[in-house]
Amino acid sequence: MSTQQARFTTFTIPEKKAQTIDVAGTVKKYLYHWPLFMISLGLALSGLYLYLQTVKPVYEIKAALLIRDEKKSPDSQTPLHEIDMVNSSRLIENEFEIIKSKQLIGEVIKDLTLNISYQKKNGISFQELYKTSPVKLTVLKASETENAGVINLTIKDKKSFLITMPGGTQTELYFKDTFENKFGTWKLEANDNLPDYAGTSIQVVISDPEKLAIQYQKNTNVALSNKLSTAVILSINDEIPQRGKDFLNGLIFNYNLAGFEAKKEETKSTLSFIDQRLATLTGELTAAEKGIEYFKSSRGLTDISSETKIRLENMQSNDVRMNEVNVQLSVIEGIERYVNSSQNLEKSPATLGVEDPALSSLIEKLAQLQLQRERLLATTPETNPDFEPINRQIAVTKSAIKENVGSIKSSLQNTREKLLSFNNRFESSIKDIPNQERQYINIKRQQEIKESLYTYLLQKREEASVSYATAHADNHIIDKAYAGPPKGSMKSLALAAALLLGLGLPIGFIYVRELLKARITTVQDIKTLIDIPILVELPFETTQNPLAISKNRGTIVGEQFRTLRIKLYHLYGKKESGRVTLITSSVPGEGKSFVCGNLGLTLAFSNRKTVILELDMRKPKIAKTFNLNSEHPGISDYLNDATSLQDIIQNSGIDEHLDIISAGTPIDNPSELLEKHRLEQLLNELRATYDDIIIDSPPVHMVPEAMILSRLSDCTLYMIRQGVTGKSEINFIKELYNQKHLVNVNLVFNGIHRVKFGYGYNYDKNYYAAENRNKLTAIFGDFGGRF
């Protein structure tokens, strides 16, 4: 007995541990779908190629500018600060908005003609020809309706070019001639490098300047180098480094130029005001001096008493103060007239003599807003909505100036009234002075007042002239625009992404598909759901022949059927004959007919007299498998008392020990026929004649015949096929098992495809070579007689 057990062990395939992860099997399962991986990798690499051809490296261009900010640097004031005419406070935050303003960026685009770009076809993408274009397009008069589009042209020679018309035809035109189309009036001029581009197709892209300015405005970054510094870092990303550098340098230049022009305009306005006042004072001072001369000569006055001098000095000092107040009131009234005027055609007023920083700041802000409005008015109609925010800011600023002027004017008027009262007291104190001397004092006082005011204005005019002559921008360029290393290509990252997508998408697709299918692929899938013995695992048979075993040829699947034959011996114990084995499954396609035929052959090869009953009468396959006549009388005919047992038995034609009883004449209701007592008589007669009776039953989940046949069977082999049987069917099998609808149920795991599903045993086919097969027969040949 021990020898027999040892021999049995040779055919027994050990089970793997449930928790073992078969890495190699998993890899092979995915490699089974290698065409999908090849297609996915091909698409990913094609996408990578298109990406590398179309996406160009991007450069970060930077520039540094130092801006004076009195908020952060209160001590950085010029010597002319005390003049209080041409200096005003600046906030770094406001300068940021000026640098990034659409108007300033629009001027840079206009100066560099960035709205017109030239491109040359380079493979599947276009190459920018910035400053290397063979032609230059000049728009003489832009269209009012359309200012963007593309002109496709081909360089013919140094005199002419071909332009592609909307219909696809080409028309020959000549350089420097003027043309007119939907973009307006334009001409094309040839550059020095034109001969190098003969026969080359050039694409001229005309962009809308307004939209392009908005785009550059979004892409331009302005930030402080740190919180304590007033150094500003300007940056922009561009595929062409030189274009980005030209843009930033142009932006800084226009920003400095705008500040310089605003400062000169303010100083010029101050000089104009002083000149007007000097012209008026010159006539008044001349008249006063002639009056003194005439008064002295006509009356012969030579000296004034000491007391009179003291009183006169006090009165003169008061008059000087009075004159300063009158000057300030004059300036305030001028500002008041200016802000109350509906049409501000004159220059912005100066704040000469008015020492009020808030008013000076407001006047400066108003001047800048008006200057900005004049610039916009030069290129844009006044009805354009762009004037709305500027007009609103001007109105708000004027309102603030009015409030400030009102309070200052009220204060000055109160001061003047006090000074007038002082003068009245002084005049009453010198009533005792002779009339002639008093008249002289009045004339002399007027002359000295005019003279002091004239001297003061001359000094201020010289200071303003020096400021105008030496006017310069308050900003200092730290670094001109420079380009950093390219950062936009990311070739390595793109390659990694392509490989990841090329491999990851098929893996994910296969994994998700298996999850959605919910099919059984491993023994562990079965064991975790049901506790029914698994007799054998049958490998997938690649041949089209449903009879996969041969008596004289050893194969992998043949040895597994021999293993199944040996395990049936253990299931039946010492029972040698009359064994009835029912083979069924849940759904069609799980291989029960395949197992019936090959198991029957395996038993017959061991000299066991075997018969196969084709009781799947709805879809019979056994007769066709053995190439038998399907019209031969069969079980249906026998059960209907239409024939005898001997008439329905056919030999398989492969082995003399194997007989076949086919389904017979097709019927509509096989279940009613199988419930007849005559089926039990048939099986009893067969038990007496045959060692093994194999019943090919219909799928038990589809029709009830299998449960009828199970009552007459000794053992049930329930088929489960890898990748076909759903996991939900296990619950159905479990229910049949628990309710004992099937007798002595054992499972057969069929169609195991190790490469496709990553589970199964790695059989060595060389083991079944001819010389090894002869040795196997010599050692284990006696099993054929026993089993």
Side-chain angles (χ1 to χ4, degrees):
M1 188 67 180
S2 61
T3 304
Q4 292 177 355
Q5 290 177 349
R7 291 173 181 174
F8 297 158
T9 306
T10 305
F11 296 95
T12 303
I13 299 177
E15 295 183 357
K16 289 194 173 184
K17 294 182 180 179
Q19 301 299 325
T20 301
I21 299 176
D22 188 0
V23 177
T26 303
V27 172
K28 288 182 179 180
K29 176 180 70 174
Y30 286 102
L31 288 179
Y32 176 80
H33 302 278
W34 65 268
L36 181 62
F37 282 88
M38 295 300 294
I39 294 172
S40 179
L41 279 174
L43 292 175
L45 293 177
S46 299
L48 174 65
Y49 174 77
L50 292 175
Y51 172 82
L52 295 179
Q53 290 295 316
T54 55
V55 177
K56 297 178 178 60
V58 176
Y59 298 82
E60 184 180 20
I61 295 89
K62 291 184 177 181
L65 179 68
L66 183 64
I67 298 179
R68 291 184 181 179
D69 183 8
E70 296 185 7
K71 181 180 177 182
K72 293 189 175 182
S73 304
D75 297 332
S76 58
Q77 298 175 348
T78 64
L80 296 179
H81 175 72
E82 295 299 328
I83 299 177
D84 202 14
M85 295 184 298
V86 295
N87 289 279
S88 60
S89 61
R90 305 170 73 200
L91 298 178
I92 196 71
E93 293 80 5
N94 294 337
E95 301 306 309
F96 283 5
E97 298 301 321
I98 295 175
I99 293 174
K100 287 191 64 176
S101 65
K102 178 173 169 287
Q103 178 186 349
L104 208 61
I105 291 176
E107 292 176 359
V108 178
I109 292 174
K110 182 179 179 181
D111 295 340
L112 300 176
T113 61
L114 295 178
N115 62 312
I116 301 177
S117 62
Y118 308 88
Q119 300 174 356
K120 180 183 73 171
K121 187 74 173 179
N122 186 15
I124 62 174
S125 62
F126 286 92
Q127 177 185 353
E128 288 276 356
L129 300 176
Y130 182 73
K131 290 191 173 181
T132 61
S133 172
V135 294
K136 178 184 178 182
L137 179 72
T138 303
V139 179
L140 302 176
K141 184 180 179 182
S143 172
E144 296 181 358
T145 58
E146 191 166 357
N147 55 359
V150 178
I151 299 176
N152 294 302
L153 55 94
T154 302
I155 307 299
K156 185 178 180 183
D157 51 41
K158 63 180 180 180
K159 294 183 179 180
S160 63
F161 61 93
L162 300 175
I163 184 170
T164 304
M165 306 305 290
T169 60
Q170 288 188 329
T171 303
E172 183 176 1
L173 303 176
Y174 294 91
F175 290 110
K176 294 188 178 179
D177 286 351
T178 302
F179 309 102
E180 187 173 350
N181 61 2
K182 61 181 181 179
F183 306 122
T185 305
W186 56 275
K187 69 176 181 178
L188 200 66
E189 298 175 309
N191 291 333
D192 296 336
N193 58 344
L194 181 70
D196 299 335
Y197 288 86
T200 304
S201 296
I202 303 296
Q203 180 176 267
V204 183
V205 180
I206 304 173
S207 304
D208 186 350
E210 294 290 327
K211 294 180 180 179
L212 189 61
I214 294 173
Q215 182 180 346
Y216 268 97
Q217 190 178 30
K218 292 179 180 178
N219 295 336
T220 304
N221 295 317
V222 182
L224 289 172
S225 60
N226 59 70
K227 293 182 179 180
L228 301 178
S229 172
T230 60
V232 177
I233 305 298
L234 289 78
S235 64
I236 190 172
N237 294 329
D238 203 324
E239 295 177 357
I240 304 175
Q242 188 59 46
R243 182 173 61 187
K245 290 191 287 186
D246 291 344
F247 172 77
L248 287 187
N249 288 332
L251 188 62
I252 293 174
F253 174 79
N254 283 351
Y255 168 70
N256 286 335
L257 181 63
F260 173 74
E261 292 295 334
K263 188 174 181 181
K264 287 189 67 175
E265 189 68 27
E266 183 181 359
T267 307
K268 186 178 179 180
S269 176
T270 302
L271 284 172
S272 177
F273 173 78
I274 294 176
D275 287 341
Q276 291 176 5
R277 293 295 298 161
L278 284 174
T280 304
L281 284 173
T282 299
E284 294 176 356
L285 183 59
T286 301
E289 289 174 347
K290 287 182 178 180
I292 292 174
E293 180 182 356
Y294 174 77
F295 186 83
K296 282 187 175 183
S297 62
S298 62
R299 291 171 175 77
L301 295 177
T302 57
D303 193 12
I304 302 174
S305 63
S306 300
E307 183 178 354
T308 302
K309 287 184 179 181
I310 294 173
R311 293 176 182 178
L312 181 60
E313 289 174 357
N314 291 335
M315 187 172 292
Q316 287 177 344
S317 175
N318 192 69
D319 286 341
V320 169
R321 177 61 180 152
M322 174 74 73
N323 192 68
E324 292 176 357
V325 171
N326 287 333
V327 170
Q328 293 180 11
L329 278 173
S330 176
V331 173
I332 290 297
E333 288 171 356
I335 295 173
E336 193 174 32
R337 286 194 303 274
Y338 177 81
V339 296
N340 289 329
S341 175
S342 59
Q343 297 182 348
N344 296 325
L345 301 178
E346 57 182 353
K347 303 295 182 180
S348 58
T351 58
L352 178 66
V354 180
E355 299 178 355
D356 192 299
L359 180 60
S360 299
S361 177
L362 290 172
I363 295 294
E364 163 67 10
K365 183 177 180 181
L366 179 62
Q368 291 181 356
L369 289 172
Q370 289 177 339
L371 182 60
Q372 184 177 355
R373 188 178 185 277
E374 290 176 3
R375 288 178 180 172
L376 188 59
L377 190 61
T379 58
T380 309
E382 192 170 4
T383 57
N384 194 292
D386 290 345
F387 282 93
E388 216 171 305
I390 297 177
N391 292 336
R392 187 166 53 253
Q393 293 183 48
I394 290 175
V396 172
T397 306
K398 281 187 176 183
S399 177
I401 292 174
K402 286 181 183 179
E403 295 180 3
N404 202 312
V405 164
S407 61
I408 295 174
K409 184 177 180 181
S410 177
S411 176
L412 290 175
Q413 287 175 345
N414 291 334
T415 303
R416 186 173 63 176
E417 290 176 2
K418 291 181 181 179
L419 291 175
L420 285 174
S421 65
F422 291 154
N423 268 350
N424 292 333
R425 287 201 300 267
F426 289 144
E427 288 177 356
S428 63
S429 66
I430 56 174
K431 284 183 179 180
D432 53 344
I433 299 176
N435 184 44
Q436 292 181 348
E437 187 175 3
R438 188 172 67 251
Q439 292 178 1
Y440 172 76
I441 291 172
N442 288 333
I443 297 172
K444 182 66 176 178
R445 183 180 64 189
Q446 294 297 325
Q447 184 267 338
E448 289 179 351
I449 290 172
K450 303 296 181 183
E451 184 178 4
S452 63
L453 182 57
Y454 184 82
T455 303
Y456 173 77
L457 289 177
L458 280 178
Q459 179 186 356
K460 295 301 180 183
R461 189 185 187 284
E462 287 301 316
E463 292 173 350
S465 298
V466 172
S467 175
Y468 184 78
T470 60
H472 63 280
D474 291 333
N475 310 314
H476 174 67
I477 299 176
I478 300 175
D479 283 321
K480 287 188 176 182
Y482 61 93
K487 65 174 185 177
S489 60
M490 298 184 291
K491 293 183 179 179
S492 300
L493 183 60
L495 177 60
L499 293 176
L500 182 62
L501 287 174
L503 297 175
L505 287 178
I507 292 174
F509 173 76
I510 295 170
Y511 179 75
V512 172
R513 187 185 65 175
E514 290 185 358
L515 286 180
L516 294 177
K517 281 186 174 181
R519 306 296 184 188
I520 293 174
T521 56
T522 67
V523 170
Q524 190 62 31
D525 293 339
I526 303 172
K527 290 184 176 180
T528 54
L529 298 174
I530 192 171
D531 187 18
I532 298 178
I534 301 174
L535 284 185
V536 72
E537 299 178 22
L538 299 176
F540 178 77
E541 180 58 40
T542 57
T543 63
Q544 297 297 324
N545 187 2
L547 299 177
I549 66 171
S550 175
K551 187 174 184 178
N552 299 318
R553 180 172 59 88
T555 61
I556 297 172
V557 67
E559 296 304 322
Q560 295 308 305
F561 273 108
R562 291 182 177 92
T563 301
L564 178 58
R565 182 186 67 192
I566 295 171
K567 290 193 175 182
L568 284 177
Y569 170 78
H570 289 286
L571 283 176
Y572 287 113
K574 295 184 180 295
K575 188 174 182 178
E576 293 291 341
S577 62
R579 306 186 307 191
V580 180
T581 304
L582 174 68
I583 299 180
T584 189
S585 63
S586 298
V587 293
E590 293 178 308
K592 58 179 183 56
S593 297
F594 169 79
V595 172
C596 283
N598 287 281
L599 179 58
L601 281 175
T602 304
L603 293 169
F605 290 161
S606 64
N607 297 326
R608 294 186 62 83
K609 192 168 180 57
T610 306
V611 63
I612 299 176
L613 274 63
E614 190 176 34
L615 288 176
D616 187 356
M617 288 185 265
R618 287 183 173 84
K619 292 184 178 181
K621 294 181 179 179
I622 297 298
K624 184 179 179 180
T625 299
F626 287 91
N627 294 321
L628 299 177
N629 185 7
S630 59
E631 296 181 358
H632 190 276
I635 296 176
S636 62
D637 302 294
Y638 176 82
L639 296 179
N640 285 322
D641 296 326
T643 185
S644 63
L645 177 60
Q646 298 302 322
D647 293 334
I648 63 174
I649 298 177
Q650 304 178 74
N651 186 262
S652 64
I654 299 177
D655 191 280
E656 61 181 4
H657 296 93
L658 178 62
D659 292 331
I660 307 295
I661 299 178
S662 62
T665 304
I667 57 174
D668 295 331
N669 298 308
S671 58
E672 283 79 359
L673 188 62
L674 294 178
E675 288 185 298
K676 290 184 177 182
H677 186 67
R678 189 167 172 77
L679 176 61
E680 185 176 357
Q681 292 178 355
L682 172 64
L683 289 175
N684 289 332
E685 291 183 35
L686 294 176
R687 286 177 189 270
T689 306
Y690 292 92
D691 296 326
D692 284 283
I693 303 160
I694 299 175
I695 299 176
D696 181 17
S697 163
V700 68
H701 207 164
M702 310 295 292
V703 290
E705 282 93 319
M707 289 185 285
I708 298 172
L709 296 171
S710 181
R711 300 197 301 262
L712 306 174
S713 304
D714 300 320
C715 176
T716 302
L717 297 184
Y718 205 104
M719 306 303 300
I720 294 177
R721 185 169 180 177
Q722 187 183 43
V724 175
T725 304
K727 292 183 179 179
S728 60
E729 296 294 337
I730 298 297
N731 293 326
F732 175 72
I733 299 171
K734 186 177 181 180
E735 184 178 354
L736 292 177
Y737 180 77
N738 293 335
Q739 295 180 2
K740 301 186 184 303
H741 289 311
L742 298 178
V743 177
N744 195 12
V745 181
N746 291 269
L747 303 179
V748 175
F749 197 18
N750 184 34
I752 296 176
H753 201 312
R754 175 180 174 83
V755 177
K756 183 176 181 180
F757 297 102
Y759 171 81
Y761 297 102
N762 190 13
Y763 303 100
D764 186 3
K765 294 184 179 180
N766 293 328
Y767 179 78
Y768 300 99
E771 62 272 21
N772 292 331
R773 185 174 67 250
N774 294 333
K775 295 179 181 179
L776 186 66
T777 305
I779 297 174
F780 302 106
D782 60 332
F783 278 100
R786 183 178 180 90
F787 301 113

